[in-house]
Amino acid sequence: MNLAKQYNFLIINGPNLGYIGVRQPEIYGDKTINQVPDLVERLLGKKSAELQLHFYQSNREGSLIDRIERARIEGVDGIVLNAGAYTHTSLALADCLAWVEIPTVEVHLSNIMARDENMRRIDLIGQHVIGIIAGFGIMSYALGVQALYEYLEGLGS
Ligand code: DQA
């Protein structure tokens, strides 16, 4: 009998994040989303066996909301969310995160605070997440998974 606990984490990518590694690599890096599990293993070592990572990407605002609502029904333990440009514009996504009560880490490939466009410093979803990781390329996702894991384990307490 296997009594080891398992966390189910959902990694969600929003619009224009279906081609990470191909899209503007000078801004977003040249690594792909497929490299996340290896990076998680590098960060978490044996503990990574306690995690199941599921991936979802959509270019549509409503589909992202549908997926997060479904995650609540499924009992997903945590979400790593890169909402892309919806980070800066979507009150609907912010409203969704405000009620579903799924611990969520917001991630970005680029450092949105250091980008040229002022608009990218506006973050509508940030109020409803447990924390934000930005600027580490694809490693932002692995750090997001690690942060979620540590959060659920009590942050070392
Ligand atoms: C992004 C930053 C957003 O401003 C942008 O719209 C994206 C990607 C990032 O991962 O750096 O699509 O979320």
Side-chain angles (χ1 to χ4, degrees):
M1 192 164 46
N2 179 11
L3 293 175
K5 73 181 164 255
Q6 281 278 321
Y7 288 123
N8 274 307
F9 288 172
L10 181 60
I11 297 176
I12 300 182
N13 273 313
N16 301 303
L17 291 164
Y19 291 90
I20 297 173
V22 177
R23 172 191 176 197
Q24 294 170 289
E26 68 285 4
I27 300 174
Y28 299 113
D30 58 7
K31 305 218 166 38
T32 76
I33 196 75
N34 297 333
Q35 287 168 268
V36 170
D38 282 351
L39 293 174
V40 167
E41 207 177 319
R42 199 161 110 190
L43 292 178
L44 288 181
K46 280 191 196 142
K47 293 179 201 159
S48 60
E50 297 170 32
L51 303 180
Q52 292 247 5
L53 300 180
H54 308 272
F55 292 83
Y56 178 79
Q57 192 272 330
S58 177
N59 293 323
R60 291 166 192 82
E61 190 176 24
S63 302
L64 294 168
I65 293 168
D66 288 345
R67 186 64 193 92
I68 294 169
E69 287 182 350
R70 187 146 58 85
R72 178 179 162 273
I73 306 286
E74 291 165 351
V76 163
D77 298 296
I79 293 175
V80 172
L81 172 64
N82 186 349
Y86 288 143
T87 306
H88 319 297
T89 62
S90 179
L91 187 57
L93 201 48
D95 282 350
C96 175
L97 292 171
W99 80 273
V100 291
E101 293 185 334
I102 303 173
T104 298
V105 176
E106 175 184 337
V107 299
H108 299 281
L109 295 152
S110 63
N111 178 357
I112 53 173
M113 294 300 158
R115 300 279 300 272
D116 287 342
E117 305 94 333
N118 286 334
M119 184 72 191
R120 293 193 204 273
R121 278 181 277 283
I122 296 168
D123 186 342
L124 299 186
I125 65 173
Q127 194 185 346
H128 305 294
V129 297
I130 57 178
I132 302 171
I133 297 168
F136 300 97
I138 207 72
M139 182 56 98
S140 291
Y141 293 80
L143 290 165
V145 168
Q146 183 181 34
L148 260 185
Y149 177 85
E150 293 296 339
Y151 175 83
L152 293 171
E153 293 282 304
L155 293 175
S157 60

